[in-house]
Amino acid sequence: MVRFVEDLPVIETRSNSLLLKPSDIQPSRDDFEVVGVFNPAVAMIGDELYMLARVAERAAESRVGWTALPLQTLSGTIEIEWFRDVDLHVVDARVVALKKNDDLRLTSVSHMQLFRSTNRSGTDWEFVSAILPEGRWETYGIEDPRITKIESTFWITYVAVSPMGAATALMSTSNFVTFDRHGIIFSCENKDVVLFPSRIAGDFVALHRPNPHSHFSPPQIWLARSPDLIHWGRHEFVLGGMHAWEGDRVGSGTPPILCDEGWLTLYHGSNRSNIAGTVGCYSAGALLLDRDQPSRVLARTSEPIMQPATEFEKNGFVPNVVFPTAMLDRGDELQIFYGAADTCVASAQFSKQSVLDSLVRQDQSK
């Protein structure tokens, strides 16, 4: 039962655990360095856990006055292009803009690596395989997977980045040995797509994050429906950033789980940075959606339930980031897997009831 209260209780959480860090990952090439392993998707098969994590790499070589920008060619190899610093505008640690045309480029290129844990708590992980970018829509890398099991198939949404922008693509697997790619399902600019684990009123349902260049309103999360997981439409607004901690960015985090009270999910938000070349602090909140009308917000947290606090969350490639991307329902507890500072994979455990108790009822008359 959700106890909606005005004086929010302290969220009960166990100490956060650091699971993977860049030094645990072997670079894909001798001339590369791994700058981050983060934003993991997690699924369970029997007593084993499988994790798909984003691995970001960049050139190990440095040249004074120059910046190396990697990209994946259509032939499958990664090339390094060198640009003079004076010809670039630094957007943040992740992105630069070419001054000649304002085109954006990433300072690293990402692929995904699959890990397995035979420990149900997910504290020990072994490398299984790598999934590399493919084709023209993934020339700047593949990022931020989420896994949802629907019937007997695991569906994986992920971000495909190219000169066209950031789009969302789909792949699937039944065994985490072979993977089928299904192409782009949400065109640029759209990311942070999470799938619901069952049909609702006969439809597949997803939360997604349009990312328009023109900002007429605060950042938003929308909902879409599909007959087949490929073709999406009937879009509906779900929520916008209401508070300072989610005023600059807001997006889905973990695929929803069904509770007695409705669909429970975590989402991320970031505030605005007042320092040029940096991004704001990323935190996480909780959201409860109606089980039959999932575009209807029943309750949400007004304050974050997760904020950067540990050394590995506050310091890294992008400082001050907690970015939840997977949530396992363990009865009375929720195990959250998240990216920390765009550098590491970590996990935390919460009392499910304390998360539900932190929710603030929304005015349904609006």
Side-chain angles (χ1 to χ4, degrees):
M1 176 180 179
V2 183
R3 298 190 296 270
F4 299 103
V5 294
E6 294 183 1
D7 297 324
L8 298 180
V10 175
I11 299 294
E12 302 168 17
T13 177
R14 296 184 180 179
S15 60
N16 297 11
S17 299
L18 179 61
L19 303 181
L20 291 171
K21 56 188 183 300
S23 59
D24 298 324
I25 308 301
Q26 183 72 26
S28 62
R29 292 181 9 180
D30 292 340
D31 58 344
F32 272 18
E33 63 177 353
V34 175
V35 296
V37 50
F38 55 109
N39 298 358
V42 179
M44 180 176 288
I45 299 182
D47 290 330
E48 293 186 332
L49 291 177
Y50 286 85
M51 175 195 293
L52 271 176
R54 172 182 172 184
V55 174
E57 299 178 294
R58 66 183 178 191
E61 179 186 359
S62 62
R63 300 178 186 177
V64 176
W66 293 79
T67 296
L69 301 179
L71 77 160
Q72 179 110 1
T73 67
L74 295 181
S75 64
T77 61
I78 296 178
E79 292 185 354
I80 301 297
E81 297 181 331
W82 290 90
F83 290 81
R84 297 186 305 166
D85 290 346
V86 296
D87 295 328
L88 302 174
H89 169 68
V90 177
V91 178
D92 56 50
R94 305 166 295 185
V95 182
V96 296
L98 308 184
K99 289 183 178 179
K100 66 179 181 179
N101 53 16
D102 288 330
D103 285 353
L104 299 181
R105 291 287 300 271
L106 301 181
T107 59
S108 62
V109 63
S110 295
H111 65 278
M112 292 187 284
Q113 290 194 11
L114 178 65
F115 301 88
R116 179 176 55 236
S117 175
T118 56
N119 181 340
R120 282 179 59 88
S121 62
T123 55
D124 301 303
W125 297 88
E126 61 178 1
F127 170 79
V128 177
S129 60
I131 299 176
L132 303 178
E134 288 184 1
R136 62 181 300 199
W137 310 119
E138 302 180 0
T139 52
Y140 291 171
I142 52 177
E143 306 176 351
D144 304 348
R146 269 79 156 191
I147 299 173
T148 302
K149 186 180 182 182
I150 304 176
E151 297 176 348
S152 60
T153 302
F154 295 91
W155 295 91
I156 303 157
T157 57
Y158 65 97
V159 180
V161 191
S162 73
M164 305 300 291
T168 295
L170 183 69
M171 67 173 66
S172 63
T173 183
S174 60
N175 53 18
F176 289 96
V177 176
T178 59
F179 296 82
D180 295 318
R181 274 177 152 99
H182 305 285
I184 301 296
I185 57 172
F186 287 88
S187 61
C188 309
E189 288 275 330
N190 204 313
K191 58 197 308 188
D192 296 323
V193 174
V194 300
L195 303 175
F196 285 69
S198 62
R199 292 178 183 256
I200 301 174
D203 297 315
F204 296 103
V205 181
L207 298 174
H208 64 100
R209 170 195 161 192
N211 189 30
H213 181 71
S214 299
H215 295 284
F216 288 91
S217 66
Q220 300 174 348
I221 295 175
W222 283 60
L223 178 141
R225 292 176 171 83
S226 171
D228 57 8
L229 290 167
I230 304 300
H231 305 92
W232 293 89
R234 287 178 287 160
H235 300 272
E236 295 180 78
F237 169 82
V238 177
L239 67 84
M242 295 174 55
H243 309 286
W245 66 271
E246 54 187 12
D248 189 48
R249 292 177 174 88
V250 67
S252 299
T254 64
I257 62 171
L258 187 60
C259 304
D260 292 339
E261 298 79 4
W263 294 103
L264 180 65
T265 182
L266 301 191
Y267 70 100
H268 67 265
S270 70
N271 60 16
R272 294 185 183 276
S273 173
N274 56 11
I275 302 174
T278 66
V279 298
C281 175
Y282 276 77
S283 304
L287 179 65
L288 187 69
L289 304 174
D290 187 278
R291 64 163 55 213
D292 298 316
Q293 301 177 53
S295 63
R296 179 171 174 254
V297 177
L298 300 179
R300 63 191 289 190
T301 47
S302 60
E303 299 295 331
I305 67 168
M306 296 177 68
Q307 292 179 298
T310 67
E311 179 69 18
F312 59 80
E313 294 165 349
K314 296 171 69 175
N315 296 289
F317 187 63
V318 180
N320 297 310
V321 173
V322 293
F323 195 88
T325 45
M327 178 166 62
L328 296 182
D329 187 349
R330 297 191 179 277
D332 292 336
E333 291 190 335
L334 299 171
Q335 185 171 10
I336 312 302
F337 296 86
Y338 64 100
D342 276 18
T343 304
C344 303
V345 170
S347 73
Q349 286 184 298
F350 292 83
S351 157
K352 184 188 294 183
Q353 190 61 55
S354 69
V355 174
L356 292 170
D357 287 347
S358 72
L359 298 167
V360 178
R361 186 188 300 272
Q362 300 300 289
D363 184 355
Q364 297 301 321
S365 64
K366 296 181 179 179

